[in-house]
Amino acid sequence: MYEIRGIIDGKRVPSKDLEEQIQRAVRSGKRQLKIIANGQHGIGGRIWPSPEKTFISVEGTPGQRLAGMGMLGTEIIVHGSCSDDTGWLNCGAKITVLGDVANGAHNAGAQGILYVQGSGGARCDTMTKFNPRFDPLQSWYFRDVGDSFAEFKAGGIAVVCGVDPRYPDNVLGYRPCVGMVGGTIYFRGPTTGQSEKDVRIVPLSDGDWKWLTTNMKPYLEAIDRLDYLEELTRSRDDWQKIIALTPEERNDMGGRRLPMAQFRLQTWEKEVGEGGIVGDLLDVERTIIPYIVTGEDRRQYPSWDNQRYAAPCTYNCPTQIPTQVRTMLIREGRLEEALALTLQYSPLPATVCGQVCPNPCMDACSRGVLLREPVDIAFLGSLSQQVPAPAKAPERPEKVAVIGGGPGGIAAAWHLALAGIQVTLYEREPELGGKIYQCIPEDRLPRDILAQELERFRSLGVDVRLNCLVDREKFDRIREEHDAVVLATGAHAPRVIPFPGYEDVIPGIVFLKGINARTPMNLEGKKVVVIGAGNVGMDIAVESYNQGAASVIAVDIQQPASFGKETATTKKPASFISRTAAASMPTWSSSPSAKPRSWTTCPTRWNCSRDTSRRTASITPILSGFTPSATSTSPG
């Protein structure tokens, strides 16, 4: 038997984790489980039916909703008592409890069996269901049950044996069967206070007695009380039966609907109103309150829900720029305010929004859906290039250090400075901008645009310290001198796929940094393979052609993830290979000097010949091998 424990190394396992362990065990084929519980909820529930039954033995102390939503094919035996809602929403599980069950056992159950060796708590068998397609729900209690038993019961069979009951004068507890409309209750012993407006007590028929005596033995065997079989099946006169009144019987009892005024005087006031539980709170006139639509006494107030939720463009913008506000300002003729608004969210709108961002806001623009053309965010971003920096808030005494002068560090310093905080920015390189400056080619991001926006950034008075390497000693000193430190060191470590021979592969970020640093590789006449067809891969492809490559092939395991001008530019000189087969990547020898082997796993590849005069490519399919002269990987 596979054992799952509710306490491991002295620590209680959360209910969710314990349930996941049970579900994994069942999915792996285990059908005999032993659970050592420690108050975990929902043990044994929601195990999907299968041809082979699942048996669960529970020891320790189970929590609420044991076998909640139990399914057909699940059998659970509990060696002790159970907490509330045992068998809640039972859908077919067989549950045996060798002890008592607390409140709400078989609440809202529809199918299955509950065998209880002891007593039931309050509100057991409430709201049980009836489905003629399945066998009725069964609930068996050896001793007695608590108050409000079988409230709103609509189906199923309950059996209360009345052996050594806690309350010998009333084995069904206080106010049983209120609102009961269906189902059957067999009980042995006295009861009082059942809802006579809803149910009646009748003697057992021959069919009732046959059913009861036939099913009594397996119940007593399950709870280890078989020696009581003779006593409990001795005479049908020891037993009684409760059934719900039919609609006709309710009408015969005068069950007509009372007028509102009569109901208030005869029922409401007595039980709830002046003589009831809220009598001391009632101080109103006995008149109908008119529906007031205006003034302070109105019942409903209008609410203005405009801008309660983010617009699609704002929601999809990484910096949450409210473009819908910009367009509103432009429509009102407030162009300067519209262009300045962007600077409250981003210090580099012309650089990022205007040049390098894929503009997901435009993809989500509702105007693009309704009018076919979204708002041109890139154009709006470019218009903000020469807008001066916003006014700063009054200076504050706090000092914050920002380590890293890339776009993240610049943005952090920008917003801190606008809030009036004194900011010092530390950057290892001689120029600000991080990978925006170092890796994005100039034909995609003109340097004059970035330079102008960095100059606006400096105008806020941020103390920028370039060529400053922050080591451990320097960092400790920075922490002592500032109230807070923001780490924005970027992600400059390249990722390389560790296949045999990967030592000869040039990381994409290294290749692009060389381009922008004016120390490019000489690729004249060489064949280049780029692993990755995202934006970075497309930048590498374009720059490889710019450095004289004879051909470039971009390889990816999916459709190219690049977008915008990157794809448009690169489709001219380079071609894509989308590979989905498991063995789609080329194989290299482990020898660093060995050349790559031919690619033979791709059914169709595309080669392109370069026309330097027109910057176009003639694309032809090839089925033979291909040996690249240089290979680069892009982080994408």
Side-chain angles (χ1 to χ4, degrees):
M1 182 173 285
Y2 184 74
E3 184 175 292
I4 299 176
R5 307 187 68 87
I7 292 184
I8 299 178
D9 297 331
K11 294 183 178 180
R12 177 182 177 275
V13 177
S15 300
K16 179 176 179 292
D17 295 346
L18 189 79
E19 180 180 0
E20 289 178 352
Q21 292 183 45
I22 294 173
Q23 295 286 354
R24 280 199 302 268
V26 173
R27 286 196 298 269
S28 68
K30 296 177 175 60
R31 291 293 181 265
Q32 302 281 329
L33 279 69
K34 179 180 179 181
I35 312 298
I36 312 298
N38 188 260
Q40 286 86 3
H41 301 334
I43 295 173
R46 298 185 293 184
I47 296 176
W48 200 251
S50 65
E52 190 177 355
K53 289 186 177 181
T54 300
F55 176 79
I56 300 176
S57 176
V58 181
E59 299 180 5
T61 309
Q64 296 178 357
R65 296 187 299 281
L66 179 130
M69 296 184 70
M71 302 287 186
L72 285 167
T74 301
E75 294 189 10
I76 303 173
I77 181 169
V78 182
H79 298 275
S81 296
C82 283
S83 184
D84 295 343
D85 296 326
T86 299
W88 170 76
L89 286 176
N90 192 3
C91 301
K94 181 180 178 182
I95 310 160
T96 301
V97 179
L98 301 180
D100 298 324
V101 291
N103 303 334
H106 252 180
N107 178 23
Q111 303 164 53
I113 298 174
L114 172 63
Y115 287 157
V116 180
Q117 190 189 63
S119 300
R123 286 190 165 82
C124 294
D125 273 71
T126 61
M127 298 187 291
T128 54
K129 310 295 192 300
F130 167 71
N131 189 333
R133 295 175 54 199
F134 301 98
D135 293 335
L137 182 81
Q138 295 183 37
S139 306
W140 295 71
Y141 303 93
F142 189 67
R143 297 179 67 191
D144 57 2
V145 291
D147 298 340
S148 301
F149 177 67
E151 272 190 334
F152 309 110
K153 184 178 182 65
I157 301 171
V159 181
V160 181
C161 297
V163 177
D164 189 24
R166 296 167 297 177
Y167 307 105
D169 296 334
N170 192 356
V171 297
L172 298 185
Y174 173 68
R175 295 181 74 245
C177 306
V178 172
M180 178 173 167
V181 295
T184 303
I185 300 171
Y186 300 112
F187 67 100
R188 177 174 170 272
T191 186
T192 60
Q194 68 276 7
S195 177
E196 295 181 354
K197 296 180 180 180
D198 299 296
V199 298
R200 59 190 174 95
I201 299 177
V202 298
L204 273 63
S205 66
D206 292 341
D208 294 329
W209 183 241
K210 182 179 180 181
W211 185 92
L212 191 62
T213 54
T214 300
N215 290 280
M216 183 65 71
K217 185 175 180 180
Y219 164 58
L220 295 177
E221 288 176 339
I223 66 169
D224 195 24
R225 292 292 185 268
L226 191 58
D227 49 339
Y228 282 87
L229 178 61
E230 182 178 354
E231 176 184 340
L232 294 174
T233 58
R234 178 176 52 204
S235 171
R236 76 168 68 181
D237 294 336
D238 294 339
W239 291 85
Q240 299 182 80
K241 173 183 174 182
I242 293 180
I243 58 174
L245 296 177
T246 65
E248 292 77 10
E249 289 171 329
R250 295 173 187 268
N251 288 332
D252 292 342
M253 294 176 61
R256 62 185 179 86
R257 180 175 179 178
L258 295 175
M260 183 61 70
Q262 188 176 350
F263 169 78
R264 179 176 62 80
L265 294 173
Q266 294 181 3
T267 304
W268 175 267
E269 296 294 3
K270 178 181 177 182
E271 298 184 9
V272 181
E274 291 183 350
I277 58 176
V278 297
D280 58 332
L281 303 178
L282 296 179
D283 187 20
V284 296
E285 296 181 4
R286 298 301 183 192
T287 58
I288 298 176
I289 300 176
Y291 182 74
I292 305 173
V293 296
T294 59
E296 295 181 357
D297 296 328
R298 70 175 71 180
R299 289 289 189 89
Q300 296 180 341
Y301 285 83
S303 63
W304 182 250
D305 288 343
N306 192 29
Q307 300 182 358
R308 180 178 181 182
Y309 300 104
C313 53
T314 304
Y315 179 80
N316 285 275
C317 174
T319 51
Q320 300 289 287
I321 298 174
T323 293
Q324 80 282 5
V325 178
R326 281 196 286 181
T327 56
M328 179 193 71
L329 293 172
I330 293 172
R331 187 166 58 247
E332 294 175 356
R334 299 153 66 183
L335 181 59
E336 292 183 2
E337 293 180 53
L339 299 180
L341 176 67
T342 313
L343 297 178
Q344 298 293 338
Y345 297 85
S346 170
L348 307 172
T351 298
V352 177
C353 301
Q355 299 295 325
V356 302
C357 180
N359 302 122
C361 49
M362 293 178 65
D363 294 334
C365 181
S366 56
R367 188 179 185 275
V369 174
L370 300 174
L371 301 177
R372 297 186 181 180
E373 206 170 305
V375 175
D376 192 341
I377 304 299
F379 176 67
L380 288 180
S382 299
L383 291 179
S384 297
Q385 177 179 341
Q386 300 184 28
V387 176
K392 296 168 55 176
E395 186 170 312
R396 293 165 52 173
E398 296 93 345
K399 296 181 179 180
V400 175
V402 177
I403 300 177
I410 290 172
W414 173 267
H415 289 291
L416 289 167
L418 288 179
I421 296 173
Q422 303 173 53
V423 185
T424 303
L425 187 147
Y426 299 86
E427 168 57 42
R428 178 183 60 186
E429 302 297 331
E431 297 288 344
L432 284 176
K435 283 196 286 188
I436 285 183
Y437 178 82
Q438 298 169 24
C439 298
I440 298 179
E442 291 188 35
D443 56 358
R444 190 151 72 90
L445 175 59
R447 284 291 174 265
D448 59 330
I449 295 177
L450 177 60
Q452 188 165 1
E453 296 210 294
L454 291 177
E455 190 62 32
R456 176 175 57 205
F457 167 74
R458 292 174 183 271
S459 71
L460 288 182
V462 176
D463 183 4
V464 178
R465 303 186 184 183
L466 302 175
N467 297 304
C468 184
L469 178 65
V470 179
D471 54 16
R472 182 72 208 190
E473 181 180 352
K474 179 73 171 178
F475 180 76
D476 290 339
R477 192 159 61 249
I478 290 173
R479 287 187 63 184
E480 293 177 2
E481 296 173 353
H482 297 83
D483 298 294
V485 178
V486 177
L487 295 179
T489 52
H492 288 264
R495 291 189 296 175
V496 178
I497 305 172
F499 49 75
Y502 77 94
E503 298 87 355
D504 296 331
V505 174
I506 303 164
I509 191 172
V510 174
F511 177 81
L512 290 175
K513 283 185 176 180
I515 296 292
N516 280 6
R518 304 294 192 271
T519 57
M521 293 181 60
N522 181 11
L523 299 179
E524 191 67 38
K526 295 184 178 181
K527 300 177 181 179
V528 177
V529 173
V530 183
I531 302 175
N535 286 341
V536 177
M538 297 300 95
D539 285 341
I540 295 170
V542 171
E543 294 305 321
S544 296
Y545 269 109
N546 290 340
Q547 302 309 315
S551 68
V552 178
I553 291 181
V555 182
D556 208 322
I557 62 173
Q558 61 184 7
Q559 288 296 320
S562 52
F563 35 65
K565 68 165 62 175
E566 294 82 1
T567 302
T569 302
T570 316
K571 277 184 177 179
K572 295 179 181 180
S575 61
F576 303 115
I577 303 175
S578 178
R579 303 173 182 269
T580 56
S584 62
M585 295 304 294
T587 305
W588 273 264
S589 166
S590 58
S591 171
S593 61
K595 293 183 178 180
R597 298 175 185 172
S598 298
W599 294 11
T600 58
T601 58
C602 180
T604 304
R605 282 185 300 279
W606 297 95
N607 187 26
C608 52
S609 60
R610 179 170 175 247
D611 183 344
T612 54
S613 62
R614 294 194 303 161
R615 297 290 293 166
T616 60
S618 61
I619 302 177
T620 56
I622 23 179
L623 302 178
S624 58
F626 170 75
T627 303
S629 304
T631 307
S632 176
T633 59
S634 65

